[in-house]
Amino acid sequence: MLEYWFNPQISVLKKLLIFAVIAAITAVLYWIEPLALDSILMFAGTGIIFLICRYCKIHFATKHLTGLFYRVLTWIPIALLLSLIFMNMKNGEILVSGAQGLGFMALAVCLFSPLSLMHQNTGTPPHA
């Protein structure tokens, strides 16, 4: 889903529409059962780490797609996200807090990568 945001063939209007949908869903989930501020910031930080790993994959690991460095850069954000979801699990309830955390992560990715709205970004990943 996040690669949709970085695709230069997608129009800016569609990207802003998906951003609005993500924000609305995250707001509704926050209204149902709010996460603590430190959890929200940790999920947002995971979004920033996702961006850092993505740009490192594009610029440093594109020649070795099966190499260890590329795989580590792929799994770091996934491992962080899973650990945060399980850390915020309360009494077996994982769905609302996990979906809300994914929403905050996606919002952070969208907010901290404004150049992807323009069609001038040259680095596209080789595959998702």
Side-chain angles (χ1 to χ4, degrees):
M1 178 194 79
L2 292 176
E3 291 301 324
Y4 180 83
W5 182 259
F6 297 104
N7 189 350
Q9 284 87 23
I10 305 296
S11 70
V12 175
L13 183 63
K14 287 182 181 178
K15 289 181 182 182
L16 291 177
L17 182 64
I18 190 107
F19 176 75
V21 168
I22 292 171
I25 291 171
T26 305
V28 167
L29 290 172
Y30 184 79
W31 181 68
I32 292 172
E33 184 181 332
L35 278 176
L37 180 62
D38 58 344
S39 297
I40 293 171
L41 293 175
M42 285 190 282
F43 278 110
T46 303
I48 294 170
I49 290 171
F50 170 82
L51 285 174
I52 292 169
C53 290
R54 183 182 184 278
Y55 290 128
C56 286
K57 283 193 310 187
I58 289 171
H59 295 293
F60 300 121
T62 55
K63 296 190 191 263
H64 305 287
L65 298 178
T66 59
L68 180 65
F69 186 56
Y70 190 86
R71 290 179 185 183
V72 166
L73 289 174
T74 300
W75 281 100
I76 286 174
I78 295 170
L80 281 172
L81 188 63
L82 287 174
S83 66
L84 286 174
I85 288 172
F86 285 115
M87 186 181 78
N88 288 309
M89 184 172 61
K90 299 174 187 166
N91 299 330
E93 284 292 322
I94 195 169
L95 184 63
V96 174
S97 61
Q100 192 177 153
L102 284 171
F104 281 116
M105 179 188 161
L107 288 174
V109 167
C110 295
L111 287 175
F112 290 109
S113 61
L115 289 178
S116 64
L117 286 177
M118 301 178 207
H119 295 293
Q120 298 173 356
N121 56 348
T122 57
T124 56
H127 64 350

